[in-house]
C-alpha cells in the first residue's frame, strides 16, 4: 500500500514540531519522522525557550508545557582565570502573568510538543530515519525512503527539519555539509541540585530563574561562550566553540568544560551537585552568510538545518520554531490556492521569512561571525584579562592615586593591543553590531 | 490464539537520582523505558502469533504517561494496547498490582477473547520482585511457568505446551496446559523492528484506556495503598562504613611496585589467603 | 507552570504513620518458619543461611524456629530434616509425597499454603532462588499477605513486627518494609546475603508430618526431564572464595580479558557490574550485585567499578574488598578495605604478573604433593 501525505516533516525538534503542528492543525495530512527513540531523546539538555514565538504556534502552551523556570535575571560575565566582571540585569517586571523567557529541559519539552503535534492530527513515527529523498522524473521531491522494511512514503512536500548534521539534505545536494567554521560544538552537563539549594545560590524563589552567559579565557582564545541555566532542580552548564577552532587549537571540548566547572566563579554554584548526562551538540553559527537555498521543487529547509541561529544573542529555538511555522504557513497558502508545491510557489516561504525577525536579525549581524572568529584571541583572551585587571586595580585600595590607576589601566590596554588595534576592534565591532 | 503481554513503564535505572536531603527519588528529567525484561516476553508473544495466528494484546497499569510504552509496543507489532489507569491504583504493592492486572486480563478476555497465554517479564528493573507474574497466575488459575528459556512446542488442539524452564542447577523440561502464564527469561530472543506499515498502524491506533470501573473492578479496597499489605516505613541511604578504604600510594611509582605492595597488604590482612590463592591456582 | 514531571516515589507520606491493628484472626499466628529448598537431593545452602537468620528472629520474639521440608518420601527428606536441626531449627514440618519429587508450582504451593493455614506462623522466610521466588509469589497471593523480596536485612521491631530491609529504586536506596495487618509476614532473601551459620550436630527433634492434599492426577504440569548445568561452563560465582570483577571503568569489552587473566592466575571466579551486562559485554550469570549474584568471598577485587548501592549490597559480605578506580571519590572506596586510585586497564596486567611471580612456587609445591 502506498501512502500519500500532504507533507512529510523530517525531524521532531523545535522547527520540525512547529512545522508539523501548524500543518496538521490546519487539516493537512502530515507524517513526521524522527530517528530518535522519542522526540527529544537525542536532545537531553537544558535550553532557553522564548514564549512569544511559541505563543504564535500554541497560544495556551503555558497550561501544560513542561517549563522549568521563567527568567528574571540575566548575567553577562567576562572572565579571566580567577575573576569575572559582570553585568547583571534583574527585574521584577519579568514576574509577569505571561513571562517572556523560560528555561526548559528539551527531552521533556520536545515530548510535550510532540504530543501536541499528535493531538493536532499528525502521524508521528519515532525510531524511523529518513534515508533518502525520492524524486520524480523531473527532479521534484515526491517522498522519502526510510530505514524500515517497506519504507517509502510519498508527499506533496517534504519539510527538512533534520538539524545541522542531518544527512538527507546534504546527501540530496540541497545544501552543503556545514563547514567547520560555521558550526560550533557545545558540550553540556546537567548538574542536579535540590530546588531549595538552587533558590539560595541564585537568589531566586518559586519558578524564578537565572541565566549566566560567560565569555573570556574559559574558551582559551577561541570564539566561544559558556552558559549556565537554572532549571527547577538542576543546572544546565556548558560551553561551545567553533569546530574549526577546536581543530586548530587541539583543545578538547570536555577539558574546556572541566576547566570552566573549576573556575572559582562557577565552582561554588554547582558544588555538591550530582552530574548526569554529558552531551555534545552541534550549533550552526555561520549566520546570514551560511544560509543555504531554503526551498525547491517539493521541499523546504527549516531550523538548524538551514543555519537559522542567532549566535550573537544565543537564540536558536525561536528562530527554529518561527522558520518551521512560517514554512508551514507558506505551504498552507500554496495549498489553499490549489497550487502545486513547486519551487516557484514555495518561494513564498523565503519571502515570508525575509520579512520576519529571523532573517532581519541574522542580516544585522552578518559580519559578526567572521569578526569574532578572526580576532578571537583579542576578544576572548586579551580583553577579558585587561578588563579584569582594570577592575581589580580599581577595586584594590593600596594607596595608589586614582589618576595613576587610570593611567596604568589605559597603558595596559595599549600595550596589549596598540592604540590603533583597539580603535580598529571597536570600530569593527560597532559596524558588525549596527 | 490470543496472547496478553503485561509490560511496565519504568524509569531508566541508570538515570535515577536521589534527593540528598529528603531521600526521595527525583524523577525529573529521568527518561522512562519499557522494562527491558518485558521485551523478551513481547517478542516471544509476537513470534507465537506469527506461527499460530491470532492477536497480541499488551497491557500495562500506570499513570497516563505509560501510554508511551504501549504505543512503542504497538510499533513492535502488538495488535492492541490496554492502559489501566486510575488514581485508585496509586501506591499498589505487588499483591494489589497482580489483583488489578488479573481483573483487567479477565475483562480483556470477555471483551476481546479469552487469552491462551499471559506473558510477563522475569521481573522489573525498578522493583526486582518477580512477584506479579506468579500473582496473576494464581488469581486467574493459570498454569504457572516462570523463568522460561524456551517454548519447545504448543499444540492448540490438545492445549498442551512444552517449555524449558531455568531452575536451580539446571533446566527443567515441563509439559503443561493452556491457558498458562509464562515469565520469560532474559536473552532468549531479540525484539524485532516493525515494518513501516506496522509503525504507521501503531502511530494511528488508539490505546484502550480503562479505569478501575471499566476493568470491572468493584472492590476498590483491594487496589492501591488500601489493597497493599506491605507498608514502606522508611527509605534511607546506607550508612557509610566508619573508615574509608586504606589507600595505597600510587604517586611516582612503578605499577609493579604498587602491585607488590598491594599483594603484601592483602596477605598481611588475610594471611590465610596465601594458601588459598596458591591452592586455587594450582588446581 | 507545569509540575507534572515532579513526582514523589510511591510511598505516600501518610503511610509511615499506619498503625498496627492486627485483626483477631491473625492473633494466634506465632513462630518463625524457614522453607528448606531441596535441590536435586541436597538442601540449597540459602536455606541454612535463612535458618541462621530465622534463629535470631525467633530468639528475639521468644518463639520457636521451624523448618519446612517438602519432598518425596525417603532419605532425601530425612537428611534435610537432620540438617534443619543441625542449623538451629526447634521443630520441622514435613510434607512428603511422590508429587513433590521435582519442583512444580502447583503441589508445592498447595502443600506450603495448607501448612501455613493449619499451623499459622507469623514469619515465613524463603530463599530468593528461581524456586523460592516462584513459590513465594503464589503462596503470598493465595494467603493474601505481604511478601518482601530480596531482603538484605531482617529484624524484629519493638512491637514484634518483621522489619524487612531491601534495596529499592533500582538499588539506589534502601527501604524498610512491614506487613503490619496480615500474617504470615513473608520475605525472601537471596543466596549469600546472610552469613552461613555454624553447623552443630544435634539429635532430630520434634517432627510434624503432613499429607499432601493433591494427587498426581490433579496436577496439570508434568516434568519431562532435567538437564543439569554443565559445571565447568556454569559460573559458580556465588560460592567462590576469590572473585575478580570489572566495571565500566574498563572502557571496552575487550579489556574484560584483563579481569579474566587475573582471575585465572589466582584461581578466582570472574564477574562484572550491572552496566556491563546491559551493554552485552558479559552474560547475565556473571553479574554481581542486587539483581545478579550476591557473593561472600574471602577476597574480592573490583576493577573499574564505581560501587553503586545495588552493587554494594551484592559484595558487602566479602572478607576483604580491594577497589581499583581512577576516581578517588568513587563510592566504592566507602566500603572497600583497600583502595588504589589508578587506571585498572594499566594496573591489572601488573597485578596479574605480581601475583603470578609470588604464587607460582607455592602452586608448584601443591601440584607436586
Amino acid at each position: 500500500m502506498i501512502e500519500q501525505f500532504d507533507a512529510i516533516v523530517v525531524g521532531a525538534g523545535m522547527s520540525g514540531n512547529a512545522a508539523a503542528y501548524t500543518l496538521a492543525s490546519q487539516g493537512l495530512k502530515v507524517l513526521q519522522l524522527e530517528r530518535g527513540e522519542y522526540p527529544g531523546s537525542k536532545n537531553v539538555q537544558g535550553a532557553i525557550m522564548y514564549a512569544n514565538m511559541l505563543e504564535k504556534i500554541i497560544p495556551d502552551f503555558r497550561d501544560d508545557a513542561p517549563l522549568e523556570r521563567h527568567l528574571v535575571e540575566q548575567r553577562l560575565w567576562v572572565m579571566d582565570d580567577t575573576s569575572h566582571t559582570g553585568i547583571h540585569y534583574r527585574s521584577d517586571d519579568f514576574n509577569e502573568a505571561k513571562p517572556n523567557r523560560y528555561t526548559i529541559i528539551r527531552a521533556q519539552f520536545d515530548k510535550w510538543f510532540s504530543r501536541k503535534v499528535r493531538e493536532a492530527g499528525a502521524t508521528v513515527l519515532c525510531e524511523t530515519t529518513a534515508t533518502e529523498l525520492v524524486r520524480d522524473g523531473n527532479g521534484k521531491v515526491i517522498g522519502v525512503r526510510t530505514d524500515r522494511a517497506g519504507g517509502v512514503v510519498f508527499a506533496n512536500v517534504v519539510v527538512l527539519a533534520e538539524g545541522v548534521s542531518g544527512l538527507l539534505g546534504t546527501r540530496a545536494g540541497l545544501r552543503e555539509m556545514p563547514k567547520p567554521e560555521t558550526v560550533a560544538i557545545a558540550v553540556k552537563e546537567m548538574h542536579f541540585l535540590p530546588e531549595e539549594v538552587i533558590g539560595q545560590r541564585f537568589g531566586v524563589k518559586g519558578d524564578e530563574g537565572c541565566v549566566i552567559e560567560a565569555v573570556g579565557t574559559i574558551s582559551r582564545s577561541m570564539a566561544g561562550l559558556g552558559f549556565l541555566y537554572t532549571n527547577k532542580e538542576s543546572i544546565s552548564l556548558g560551553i561551545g566553540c567553533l569546530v574549526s577552532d577546536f581543530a586548530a587549537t587541539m583543545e578538547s571540548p570536555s577539558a574546556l568544560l572541566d576547566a570552566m566547572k573549576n573556575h572559582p566563579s562557577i565552582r561554588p554554584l554547582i558544588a555538591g551537585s550530582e552530574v548526569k548526562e554529558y552531551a555534545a551538540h552541534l550549533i550552526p553559527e555561520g549566520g546570514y552568510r551560511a544560509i543555504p537555498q531554503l526551498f525547491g521543487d517539493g521541499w523546504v529547509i527549516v531550523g538548524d538545518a538551514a543555519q537559522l541561529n542567532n549566535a550573537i544573542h544565543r537564540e536558536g529555538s525561536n528562530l527554529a520554531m518561527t522558520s518551521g511555522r512560517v514554512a508551514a504557513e507558506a505551504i498552507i497558502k500554496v495549498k489553499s490556492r490549489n497550487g502545486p508545491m513547486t519551487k516557484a510557489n514555495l518561494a513564498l516561504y523565503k519571502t515570508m521569512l525575509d520579512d520576519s525577525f529571523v532573517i532581519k536579525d541574522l542580516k544585522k549581524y552578518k559580519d559578526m561571525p567572521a569578526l569574532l572568529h578572526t580576532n578571537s584571541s583579542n576578544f576572548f583572551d586579551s580583553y577579558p584579562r585587561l578588563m579584569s585587571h582594570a577592575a581589580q586595580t580599581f577595586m584594590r585600595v593600596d594607596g595608589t592615586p586614582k589618576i595613576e590607576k587610570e593611567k596604568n589601566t589605559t597603558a595596559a590596554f595599549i600595550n596589549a593591543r596598540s592604540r590603533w588595534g583597539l580603535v580598529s576592534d571597536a570600530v569593527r565591532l560597532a559596524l558588525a553590531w549596527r | 490464539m490470543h496472547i496478553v503481554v503485561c509490560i511496565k513503564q519504568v524509569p531508566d535505572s541508570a538515570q535515577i537520582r536521589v534527593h540528598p536531603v529528603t531521600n526521595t527519588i527525583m524523577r525529573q528529567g529521568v527518561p522512562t523505558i519499557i522494562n527491558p525484561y518485558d521485551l523478551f516476553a513481547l517478542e516471544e508473544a509476537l513470534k507465537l502469533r506469527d506461527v499460530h495466528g491470532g492477536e497480541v494484546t499488551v497491557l500495562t497499569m500506570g499513570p497516563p504517561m505509560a501510554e508511551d510504552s504501549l504505543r512503542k509496543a504497538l510499533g513492535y507489532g502488538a495488535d492492541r494496547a490496554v492502559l489501566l489507569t486510575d488514581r485508585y491504583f496509586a501506591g499498589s504493592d505487588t499483591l494489589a498490582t497482580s489483583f488489578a492486572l488479573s481483573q483487567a486480563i479477565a475483562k480483556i478476555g470477555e471483551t476481546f477473547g479469552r487469552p491462551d497465554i499471559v506473558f510477563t517479564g522475569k521481573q522489573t528493573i525498578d522493583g526486582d520482585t518477580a512477584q506479579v507474574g506468579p500473582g496473576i497466575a494464581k488469581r486467574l488459575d493459570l498454569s504457572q511457568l516462570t523463568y522460561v528459556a524456551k517454548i519447545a512446542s504448543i499444540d492448540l488442539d490438545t492445549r498442551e505446551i512444552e517449555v524449558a524452564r531455568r531452575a536451580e542447577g539446571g533446566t527443567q523440561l515441563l509439559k503443561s496446559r493452556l491457558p498458562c502464564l509464562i515469565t520469560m527469561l532474559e536473552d532468549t530472543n531479540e525484539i524485532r523492528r516493525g515494518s513501516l506499515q506496522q509503525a504507521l498502524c501503531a502511530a494511528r491506533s488508539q490505546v484502550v484506556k480503562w479505569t478501575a470501573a471499566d476493568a470491572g473492578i468493584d472492590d476498590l479496597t483491594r487496589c492501591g495503598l488500601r489493597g497493599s499489605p506491605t507498608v514502606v516505613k522508611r527509605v534511607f541511604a546506607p550508612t557509610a562504613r566508619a573508615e574509608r578504604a586504606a589507600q595505597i600510594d600510587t604517586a611516582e611509582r612503578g605499577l609493579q611496585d604498587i602491585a607488590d605492595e598491594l599483594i603484601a597488604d592483602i596477605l598481611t590482612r588475610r594471611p590465610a589467603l596465601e594458601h588459598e590463592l596458591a591452592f586455587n591456582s594450582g588446581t | 507552570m507545569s509540575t507534572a514531571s515532579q513526582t514523589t516515589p510511591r510511598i505516600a507520606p501518610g503511610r509511615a504513620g499506619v498503625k498496627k491493628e492486627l485483626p483477631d484472626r491473625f492473633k494466634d499466628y506465632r513462630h518463625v518458619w524457614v522453607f528448606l529448598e531441596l535441590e536435586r537431593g541436597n538442601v540449597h545452602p540459602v536455606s541454612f543461611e535463612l535458618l541462621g537468620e530465622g534463629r535470631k528472629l525467633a530468639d528475639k520474639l521468644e518463639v520457636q524456629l521451624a523448618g519446612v521440608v517438602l519432598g518425596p518420601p525417603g532419605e532425601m527428606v530425612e537428611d534435610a530434616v537432620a540438617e534443619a536441626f543441625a542449623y538451629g531449627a526447634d521443630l520441622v514440618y514435613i510434607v512428603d509425597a511422590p508429587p513433590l519429587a521435582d519442583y512444580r508450582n502447583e503441589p508445592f504451593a498447595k502443600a506450603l499454603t495448607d501448612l501455613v493455614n493449619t499451623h499459622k506462623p507469623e514469619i515465613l522466610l524463603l530463599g530468593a532462588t528461581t524456586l523460592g521466588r516462584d513459590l513465594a509469589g503464589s503462596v503470598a497471593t493465595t494467603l493474601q499477605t505481604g511478601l518482601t523480596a530480596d531482603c538484605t536485612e531482617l529484624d524484629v521491631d519493638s512491637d514484634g513486627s518483621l522489619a524487612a530491609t531491601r534495596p529499592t529504586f533500582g538499588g539506589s536506596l534502601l527501604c524498610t518494609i512491614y506487613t503490619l495487618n496480615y500474617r504470615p509476614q513473608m520475605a525472601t532473601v537471596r543466596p549469600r546475603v546472610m552469613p552461613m551459620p555454624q553447623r552443630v550436630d544435634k539429635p532430630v527433634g520434634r517432627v510434624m508430618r503432613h499429607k499432601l492434599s493433591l494427587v498426581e492426577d490433579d496436577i496439570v504440569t508434568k516434568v519431562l526431564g532435567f538437564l543439569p548445568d554443565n559445571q565447568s561452563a556454569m559460573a559458580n560465582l556465588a560460592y567462590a572464595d576469590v572473585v575478580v570483577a570489572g566495571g565500566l571503568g574498563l572502557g571496552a569489552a575487550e579489556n574484560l580479558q584483563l579481569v579474566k587473566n587475573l582471575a585465572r592466575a589466582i584461581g578466582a571466579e570472574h564477574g562484572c557490574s550491572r552496566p556491563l551486562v546491559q551493554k552485552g559485554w558479559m552474560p547475565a550469570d556473571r553479574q554481581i550485585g542486587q539483581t545478579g549474584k550476591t557473593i561472600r568471598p574471602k577476597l574480592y577485587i573490583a576493577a573499574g567499578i564505581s560501587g553503586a548501592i545495588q552493587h554494594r549490597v551484592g559484595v558487602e559480605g566479602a572478607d576483604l574488598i580491594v577497589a581499583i578506580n581512577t576516581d578517588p571519590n568513587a563510592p566504592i572506596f566507602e566500603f572497600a578495605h583497600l583502595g588504589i586510585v589508578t587506571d585498572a586497564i594499566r594496573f591489572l596486567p601488573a597485578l596479574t604478573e605480581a601475583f603470578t611471580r609470588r604464587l607460582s612456587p607455592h602452586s608448584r609445591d601443591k601440584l607436586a604433593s
Side-chain angles (χ1 to χ4, degrees), chain C residues 6-18:
Chain C
Q6 173 131 26
T7 45
T8 44
R10 280 201 336 199
I11 42 155
R15 297 201 84 184
V18 172

Side-chain angles (χ1 to χ4, degrees), chain B residues 186-208:
Chain B
E186 71 274 19
D187 298 333
T188 44
N189 56 43
E190 198 169 330
I191 191 72
R192 65 191 56 194
R193 191 170 153 71
S195 69
L196 188 74
Q197 273 313 314
Q198 277 170 328
L200 280 171
C201 254
R204 288 165 177 164
S205 56
Q206 288 298 310
V207 165
V208 179

Side-chain angles (χ1 to χ4, degrees), chain C residues 104-142:
Chain C
R104 281 171 296 171
N105 181 267
E106 286 163 276
F108 273 70
K110 179 77 179 144
L112 187 55
T113 308
D114 286 351
L115 269 185
V116 168
N117 282 331
T118 312
H119 295 284
K120 305 180 191 285
E122 58 192 299
I123 292 173
L124 172 56
L125 306 178
L126 299 93
T129 59
T130 54
L131 190 163
R133 287 175 147 214
D134 184 280
L135 179 59
S138 44
V139 169
T141 305
T142 309

Side-chain angles (χ1 to χ4, degrees), chain B residues 109 133 180 265-266:
Chain B
C180 64
D265 210 338
I266 288 173

